[in-house]
Amino acid sequence: MSSRVNESIGRAFALRLGLWYAALFVASAVTLSVATYALLARALAAQDHDALASMLSRYAVEYQDEGLNGLQTMITADAGQGRHERLLVRVMNQRTEVVYFTAPPGWGAFDLSWLDRPAARRSGWTTIDSPPDGAVFEVGTAMLDDGILVQVGRSSHVRDELLANFRARGLQVLALIAVAAVAGGFLITRAGLAPLRALESTVRSILRTGQLDARVPLTHSSDPLNELGTRVNEMLGRIQALVVGMRGALDNVAHDLRTPLTRFRNVAESALVAGNPESMREGLAHALEEADRVSATLTALMDISEAETGTMVLAREPVHLASVVDEAVSLYADEADDKAITLQSHVPSALQVVGDRTRLRQVCANLVENAVKYTERGGRIDIDAGPTGDGVSLTVRDTGIGIDPADIPHVWDRLYRADASRTTRGLGLGLSLVKAVVVAHGGRVDVASMPGQGSSFTVVLPASART
Ligand code: ADP
């Protein structure tokens, strides 16, 4: 129902827009036609006038050269050649006797006494507005030397007919143009608005169903509306990934906190059941430890989720990698000393990357912590860094217990702890956080390890992270 309403609104809009286009188009066509008409009318009038003027001057010259006889011969020849058709020609001698007269058919009945008015008998032009056919009558008069009067006139009738014809045809053509413009404007607008309708229907379907997997149908053209559809689809893709990520993160947090919280509850419960102050004190101490673990787990899980869903805010700045590594090394130097582990950093002091200093420190600290944790007494840990083909790499290599090949693909998973490491403390979240933060920086992580021989964890930050 609503899509039908939508369709009819779209049609009304297309029609309105089409009508506007048509109105503009028709107005332009009318302006052009009126201008053409005015120019044509002027050109025809000028042509008629010029023809009369040239005839009059020919007769004047002929009279001057050959006298009245020559003039009469020329006029008779002109009449014989049909030059006087639709013309009025009158010649009068000195005694005001008409020696030659011809007028277009129908003009005989007309009172031509105005031709004898003083104004019409002076050399020059006279215009009479209302001859019998409603046309305009133009007469040119030449008073020749010896009182010979030559008058040549023409009715505008012929060109009026031509112009009337032009007007009638013009109106028909304009009517056709108007119809074509309205229909064409409607169809073109409707076709042009199709991508917008598709966009609107996609948004409507998302609003109705809440399903973010709907996408705007696209064409292969590069017009701006198709481009808009592409961008909207990209935006929908991102929103969908974000929503899915956030849902997943929420599920994970709920799931991952259940175990420590149950443990926390059990500790408190058994302390209460035991009832004596000693057990209660012990229970409270345990509960406190569990609370700290829950809090640390929650922080790590939130960090991982933020980094994975792209909502982690990275305060990117140029960072000297050596200083970040040194901070991590000094954090675990005592622990390494206690285990007689040689912990050495070989990071060039000038090596810089662009990244979030705090997060990069977290990455280094986690890798160094693991290396110290999983390396036995007297072992060795080396930290190297340097430019690679596509960025900067940082490697933490230890001679520790190593990782079973079956465990290697899982060490980056949340809460995954290989069997060999169960005896050491840990949340199983350190490497997940390392990977999430590095990926959020646009980088990648890698691990190589042999059980009993040691492990080598590598972080590669992209070239853009290099200064
Ligand atoms: P944990 O808190 O258990 O250290 P991590 O996510 O940091 O959690 O590591 C996941 C697992 O990967 C560890 O439990 C361990 O089995 C393995 N691991 C990580 N670092 C090393 C290492 N340097 N040497 C051997 N095993 C390691």
Side-chain angles (χ1 to χ4, degrees):
M1 172 69 186
S2 76
S3 89
R4 218 174 305 140
V5 171
N6 180 32
E7 174 76 2
S8 79
I9 291 172
R11 209 176 299 139
F13 182 62
L15 188 64
R16 210 165 59 233
L17 215 62
L19 280 175
W20 274 108
Y21 281 139
L24 269 176
F25 191 68
V26 170
S28 312
V30 167
T31 310
L32 197 70
S33 308
V34 168
T36 311
Y37 177 83
L39 286 174
L40 182 69
R42 259 178 54 187
L44 287 176
Q47 200 183 33
D48 282 358
H49 178 84
D50 290 351
L52 287 185
S54 101
M55 188 171 271
L56 208 53
S57 66
R58 264 179 70 231
Y59 290 165
V61 170
E62 184 65 18
Y63 177 75
Q64 234 166 22
D65 295 350
E66 305 291 337
L68 190 57
N69 283 342
L71 176 62
Q72 275 180 327
T73 314
M74 178 179 257
I75 287 176
T76 314
D78 277 359
Q81 287 167 15
R83 284 194 179 156
H84 293 166
E85 240 174 66
R86 299 175 188 278
L87 288 189
L88 177 142
V89 181
R90 192 169 80 151
V91 181
M92 290 168 88
N93 63 16
Q94 296 88 335
R95 293 183 299 279
T96 64
E97 292 160 356
V98 175
V99 291
Y100 181 84
F101 178 80
T102 178
W107 280 75
F110 183 48
D111 173 17
L112 295 174
S113 59
W114 56 269
L115 284 171
D116 294 322
R117 281 187 213 151
R121 298 186 62 151
R122 272 196 296 275
S123 287
W125 296 93
T126 314
T127 305
I128 302 299
D129 268 342
S130 305
D133 57 1
V136 176
F137 200 75
E138 188 186 23
V139 177
T141 304
M143 181 57 93
L144 305 182
D145 290 348
D146 312 327
I148 299 290
L149 187 80
V150 181
Q151 289 173 309
V152 183
R154 179 195 287 274
S155 155
S156 67
H157 179 71
V158 176
R159 65 173 193 265
D160 286 350
E161 257 180 25
L162 196 82
L163 290 172
N165 204 8
F166 182 92
R167 280 197 303 271
R169 285 286 150 81
L171 282 176
Q172 284 171 359
V173 171
L174 280 178
L176 274 178
I177 286 180
V179 172
V182 171
F186 171 72
L187 291 176
I188 291 171
T189 313
R190 219 173 119 71
L193 288 177
L196 273 186
R197 279 205 305 279
L199 180 71
E200 196 272 348
S201 101
T202 306
V203 173
R204 184 182 289 273
S205 118
I206 292 173
L207 287 176
R208 203 180 53 239
T209 62
Q211 297 292 324
L212 279 167
D213 49 4
R215 292 291 178 273
V216 182
L218 298 172
T219 61
H220 293 295
S221 77
S222 59
D223 65 63
L225 288 183
N226 201 45
E227 193 63 19
L228 174 68
T230 311
R231 297 289 154 261
V232 169
N233 281 350
E234 271 175 27
M235 186 181 74
L236 286 175
R238 281 211 191 166
I239 293 175
Q240 190 181 18
L242 210 65
V243 169
V244 169
M246 281 162 87
R247 267 187 211 144
L250 208 62
D251 288 353
N252 290 338
V253 171
H255 174 264
D256 297 345
L257 286 185
R258 198 161 289 140
T259 315
L261 281 175
T262 311
R263 242 183 355 238
F264 180 85
R265 191 183 179 286
N266 290 346
V267 167
E269 195 177 31
S270 38
L272 269 181
V273 170
N276 60 67
E278 192 52 39
S279 310
M280 280 175 124
R281 192 171 299 120
E282 209 175 296
L284 271 180
H286 261 122
L288 219 62
E289 254 175 52
E290 287 299 341
D292 284 347
R293 278 174 72 89
V294 168
S295 164
T297 307
L298 194 58
T299 308
L301 282 174
M302 294 316 286
D303 280 353
I304 294 168
S305 299
E306 267 188 19
E308 281 177 350
T309 53
T311 52
M312 177 178 271
V313 182
L314 295 174
R316 291 179 198 262
E317 56 175 330
V319 177
H320 280 104
L321 210 50
S323 73
V324 172
V325 171
D326 288 348
E327 284 171 38
V329 166
S330 63
L331 217 56
Y332 295 99
D334 288 346
E335 211 173 314
D337 263 0
D338 290 348
K339 292 172 80 175
I341 294 172
T342 312
L343 175 56
Q344 274 187 351
S345 161
H346 316 281
V347 180
S349 57
L351 192 62
Q352 273 194 323
V353 291
V354 174
D356 185 316
R357 175 184 292 277
T358 313
R359 294 296 176 191
L360 292 179
R361 194 187 297 137
Q362 237 174 339
V363 166
C364 293
N366 272 312
L367 294 178
V368 174
E369 181 191 4
N370 280 353
V372 173
K373 217 159 57 171
Y374 300 114
T375 299
E376 275 141 9
R377 284 194 75 77
R380 184 179 174 85
I381 300 169
D382 290 286
I383 306 165
D384 293 285
T388 60
D390 56 348
V392 171
S393 80
L394 172 78
T395 304
V396 179
R397 193 175 293 111
D398 63 55
T399 56
I401 60 171
I403 307 169
D404 193 280
D407 290 323
I408 285 186
H410 304 291
V411 291
W412 306 103
D413 295 348
R414 282 179 314 108
L415 300 176
Y416 188 85
R417 307 199 71 207
D419 284 342
S421 53
R422 295 264 179 227
T423 50
T424 54
R425 72 193 150 70
L427 299 172
L429 290 172
L431 288 184
S432 312
L433 185 61
V434 167
K435 183 176 174 185
V437 169
V438 170
V439 171
H441 274 81
R444 61 175 198 278
V445 292
D446 198 13
V447 58
S449 184
M450 283 290 279
Q453 292 186 18
S455 312
S456 167
F457 284 86
T458 302
V459 161
V460 178
L461 292 165
S464 63
R466 213 165 121 183
T467 57

